[in-house]
Amino acid sequence: MVPERESGRIERTLAGATATATGRPRVRLDQPRPPRRRILPEWDPEAFGRLSERIARFLGTGRFIVWMTIVIILWVVWNVSAPRDLRFDEYPFIFLTLMLSLQASYAAPLILLAQNRQDDRDRVNLEQDRKQNERSMADTEYLTREIAALRIGLGEVATRDWIRSELQDIVKELDGRHDGHGVFPTVAAERSRGRDADDR
């Protein structure tokens, strides 16, 4: 027990010596690091991406164009016909121009972000479609090989017509051996011919 304590002390002393020699504090690997304080605010990129897609969808609708047109018309009418004390943007409408350029400067990156997310989704869908097509092609090739093997196997199977022709050859051979006396009576032969016609 004593040697274990001494070895533990030696290890701690060596670890402390290496920490002081390098000038860095010793890092514990068995515990998680404390979270760092960040200067910039954190946000969820997925939530921001979904918000940008919603805004981009709204900017691409006729409703947005109608509302924007109504706001601009009201803005211009108010600043032209209202009493001079109540006007907030005189004739060159510099503030309106500033607002429209500000709206455009925010709309363009939001639309680009939404397009990038859509491109990522399309890329994933195309990859899945490509894998599905590869699986379908492999299944089709497998089924084609199986059908070819079945055809080859069926080519070696005895069919009814082949068996009938072989039996007829045997009957003719037996008839030839018995000097014209048939092995089977003619009535039975006619019945078998009628049965063969029915089978067809």
Side-chain angles (χ1 to χ4, degrees):
M1 219 172 205
V2 175
E4 289 179 9
R5 287 184 185 171
E6 288 178 7
S7 66
R9 269 192 227 139
I10 292 170
E11 288 175 6
R12 276 181 269 160
T13 309
L14 289 175
T18 55
T20 55
T22 57
R24 290 183 293 169
R26 194 173 71 155
V27 177
R28 302 267 324 243
L29 297 177
D30 60 339
Q31 295 178 355
R33 286 185 175 179
R36 292 182 181 176
R37 291 188 181 185
R38 294 184 178 241
I39 300 170
L40 298 174
E42 293 185 27
W43 66 87
D44 183 15
E46 282 300 312
F48 189 73
R50 286 192 296 270
L51 176 66
S52 69
E53 285 179 344
R54 270 186 272 161
I55 292 171
R57 277 194 209 103
F58 176 68
L59 291 177
T61 60
R63 187 188 314 167
F64 171 74
I65 294 172
V66 168
W67 279 109
M68 189 169 170
T69 306
I70 290 171
V71 167
I72 291 172
I73 289 171
L74 290 175
W75 187 297
V76 170
V77 168
W78 178 264
N79 288 304
V80 168
S81 62
R84 192 168 288 279
D85 295 341
L86 298 175
R87 295 179 193 173
F88 56 89
D89 193 15
E90 288 296 324
Y91 165 66
F93 306 119
I94 295 172
F95 189 52
L96 176 64
T97 306
L98 176 67
M99 294 302 292
L100 290 176
S101 61
L102 183 67
Q103 180 264 330
S105 67
Y106 272 99
L110 288 173
I111 290 170
L112 286 175
L113 179 60
Q115 285 179 346
N116 288 340
R117 284 173 58 86
Q118 184 62 42
D119 289 343
D120 292 341
R121 277 197 299 272
D122 291 343
R123 192 176 303 113
V124 169
N125 288 337
L126 286 174
E127 184 67 23
Q128 289 176 350
D129 290 345
R130 187 182 64 78
K131 288 180 180 176
Q132 181 64 36
N133 288 340
E134 286 177 358
R135 284 194 295 268
S136 298
M137 289 292 292
D139 291 345
T140 305
E141 290 174 2
Y142 173 75
L143 290 174
T144 304
R145 286 193 299 271
E146 288 296 313
I147 290 171
L150 285 174
R151 283 184 178 171
I152 291 170
L154 283 176
E156 297 171 358
V157 172
T159 60
R160 187 177 64 184
D161 294 335
W162 182 80
I163 292 173
R164 185 179 297 135
S165 67
E166 289 295 317
L167 288 174
Q168 286 174 355
D169 291 343
I170 292 171
V171 168
K172 285 179 186 175
E173 189 178 321
L174 289 174
D175 282 345
R177 284 187 185 171
H178 291 293
D179 300 323
H181 299 293
V183 176
F184 303 109
T186 55
V187 177
E190 287 176 4
R191 281 184 190 162
S192 67
R193 282 189 196 138
R195 198 178 323 138
D196 290 343
D198 291 340
D199 289 343
R200 290 180 196 154

